[in-house]
Amino acid sequence: MGLSALVPGPRQFDRGEVPEVFLVAGTRPEAVKMAPVAAAMFACGRIRPVLVNSGQHPEMVDQALESFGFAADVKLKLNRVSGGQAELTSQLIEELDRLFTERAPGAVLVQGDTTTTLAGALAAFWQQIPVVHLEAGLRSHDLTSPFPEEGNRKMVGQLASLHLTPTADSAAHLAAESLQGNNVLTIGNTVVDAVLDVAARRAPYGDARLQEIENRVHSGQSRLVLVTAHRRESWGEPLDDVLHAVADIVRSRPDVEVVLPAHPNPAVRRQVVDVLGAIPRVTITDPLPYAQMARLLAQCTLVLSDSGGIQEEAPSFGVPALVLRDVTERMEAVNSGCAVLVGTDRERITALTLQLLDNPAAREAMTADGNPFGDGLASVRTEQALAWLLGLQQQRPAEFAPYAGSATVRVSGEADVA
């Protein structure tokens, strides 16, 4: 029996009551994956979502929420000096503890594996508030990669009252850790809900260069490769190898353009500019708001990324992903064929990218079965799971099941997204 079977249960609410559930987000991916849940709660009306911007990456959280027409209900203010994990964690716990004491939510929803996720789970657990873990059960089985995310998600798993896993594989990981039973529910990944929503909105680009690139892609003059590399374990020499591979690819294929949204860390940005700043057909941008990133992703022929979110999002646009990591906690993408682990080896990245660029049939085969992470209904299932946890509905929601067909979105020209 896992610890989650021993944590206090939630206060039961009458059907006439509208309890508050806090959705705590500190990074853009957290905000993106929670926004559809808030929308589902508003649509149903039996739970009041309270969107909390933890202050970890406050501007990026605000940007992400704005893409869905939301703003944070609560914005915590941190006083970061060193930028270290200990400083961030201690300040988050203090601020969240104060907030939970003042408002006493019916439950706290945390997402994924960030420092905010861990701090939110600890602060809620210490106050005996039920912790609901969205995107539970991901495992790389390597505490050093991704770091510190793998450790965060394992610790949150021990504190959660309700585990909402995106896939059956994630649920199996929890079962292997003796976390199973009624408090584990497989619902799909809300990122699919999110990316289908924002792609349909066709948000305008803030950088005019991106609209020009999209125009060239639509006219057949260019093929676009999106590159993102931000994980700490990739900084330094591994990132240098990735950047030189990108330069090799562009030089080898004169119709290929690359867009690389650079990490805001000054040292990382400098490294990107030093290697790629003078390379023709490479566009380096600031980090893109989520809606613009989703629109850009939909234009791509390929994506090279160490981002977990992009591994989940790219299949919805029929875009194969080359994962710039040696291990991934999202093996569903690899096992379904829509992603390939390439690590950070320069020659391997270059060779596999050029092979796929030259073989349209191979690219199409990678994503022919649609997105293995969901059907766009995970946020509805999350709202139902919360209502069940809080006693607002008696029936436990149905589990996520493999769906027929494809949730792939195709974008061409200026037509609306289907």
Side-chain angles (χ1 to χ4, degrees):
M1 177 180 295
L3 278 178
S4 61
L6 303 176
V7 299
R11 179 171 73 86
Q12 296 297 296
F13 293 87
D14 296 331
R15 287 185 176 272
E17 293 185 76
V18 181
E20 287 187 340
V21 170
F22 284 10
L23 285 63
V24 183
T27 66
R28 183 173 74 173
E30 288 171 286
V32 164
K33 293 180 180 184
M34 287 185 174
V37 177
M41 291 181 184
F42 280 125
C44 194
R46 54 185 170 177
I47 300 170
R48 181 178 298 112
V50 177
L51 290 162
V52 179
N53 183 337
S54 78
Q56 182 174 345
H57 294 159
E59 293 83 8
M60 298 186 78
V61 168
D62 284 343
Q63 281 184 350
L65 292 178
E66 186 179 351
S67 299
F68 299 88
F70 292 138
D73 300 290
V74 178
K75 295 179 71 171
L76 304 181
K77 293 188 180 299
L78 308 182
N79 182 28
R80 300 184 68 181
V81 178
S82 71
Q85 288 293 302
E87 175 190 75
L88 174 60
T89 304
S90 62
Q91 291 190 22
L92 284 170
I93 289 175
E94 281 194 35
E95 291 300 316
L96 290 167
D97 180 74
R98 185 177 299 112
L99 174 64
F100 297 165
T101 299
E102 293 172 356
R103 298 279 291 265
V108 170
L109 182 74
V110 296
Q111 190 280 326
D113 49 28
T114 71
T115 305
T116 289
T117 303
L118 177 60
L122 282 168
F125 177 73
W126 288 337
Q127 293 208 27
Q128 297 188 321
I129 298 169
V131 175
V132 179
H133 191 192
L134 185 64
E135 198 179 70
L138 274 64
R139 296 291 185 270
S140 69
H141 306 291
D142 181 353
L143 280 173
T144 67
S145 180
F147 181 87
E149 288 88 345
E150 179 77 356
N152 291 345
R153 63 173 69 108
K154 288 174 72 71
M155 287 186 279
V156 173
Q158 296 300 310
L159 305 178
S161 298
L162 183 61
H163 309 262
L164 302 180
T165 66
T167 65
D169 286 354
S170 299
H173 294 155
L174 294 180
E177 298 171 7
S178 299
L179 298 169
Q180 55 191 324
N182 275 346
N183 63 339
V184 177
L185 186 64
T186 303
I187 62 164
N189 198 312
T190 59
V191 76
V192 179
D193 310 31
V195 78
L196 295 177
D197 181 347
V198 297
R201 301 176 187 227
R202 290 188 60 81
Y205 293 118
D207 187 330
R209 296 176 299 170
L210 300 181
Q211 183 62 64
E212 294 169 1
I213 291 170
E214 183 176 305
N215 292 343
R216 289 193 291 272
V217 169
H218 288 166
S219 67
Q221 299 176 60
S222 298
R223 293 182 293 170
L224 176 61
V225 176
L226 175 66
V227 179
T228 73
H230 69 277
R231 292 194 176 274
R232 287 179 181 271
E233 64 264 27
S234 298
W235 293 3
E237 185 176 348
L239 178 59
D240 202 56
D241 287 343
V242 168
L243 298 175
H244 279 96
V246 171
D248 295 340
I249 292 160
V250 173
R251 292 189 183 107
S252 298
R253 297 296 181 271
D255 67 331
V256 167
E257 296 196 49
V258 165
V259 172
L260 195 159
H263 193 281
N265 179 281
V268 176
R269 176 84 180 218
R270 192 179 315 114
Q271 188 176 359
V272 171
V273 172
D274 286 348
V275 178
L276 296 176
I279 303 293
R281 292 176 282 112
V282 174
T283 301
I284 301 168
T285 73
D286 291 332
L288 297 176
Y290 181 68
Q292 295 178 40
M293 177 67 92
R295 177 173 178 173
L296 191 68
L297 181 58
Q299 317 305 318
C300 290
T301 298
L302 283 175
V303 60
L304 279 61
S305 179
D306 62 5
S307 164
I310 284 182
Q311 294 174 55
E312 299 158 344
E313 294 157 349
S316 287
F317 299 109
V319 177
L322 299 186
V323 182
L324 304 173
R325 296 166 58 182
D326 295 319
V327 296
T328 179
E329 62 278 20
R330 293 167 173 86
M331 282 302 296
E332 295 89 344
V334 175
N335 293 335
S336 68
C338 57
V340 179
L341 284 171
V342 295
T344 57
D345 180 78
R346 176 178 177 176
E347 292 184 1
R348 177 169 167 78
I349 294 168
T350 302
L352 286 176
T353 301
L354 295 179
Q355 287 176 22
L356 285 172
L357 286 171
D358 294 343
N359 192 336
R363 295 198 306 271
E364 292 177 7
M366 287 179 68
T367 59
D369 292 334
N371 195 324
F373 294 102
D375 57 358
L377 296 174
S379 54
V380 174
R381 297 186 184 97
T382 300
E383 190 279 336
Q384 294 173 348
L386 286 163
W388 173 71
L389 177 73
L390 297 173
L392 301 177
Q393 74 174 37
Q394 292 185 346
Q395 185 176 1
R396 183 173 180 266
E399 297 235 347
F400 175 75
Y403 55 97
S406 170
T408 300
V409 175
R410 301 291 182 182
V411 181
S412 60
E414 294 303 317
D416 291 336
V417 177

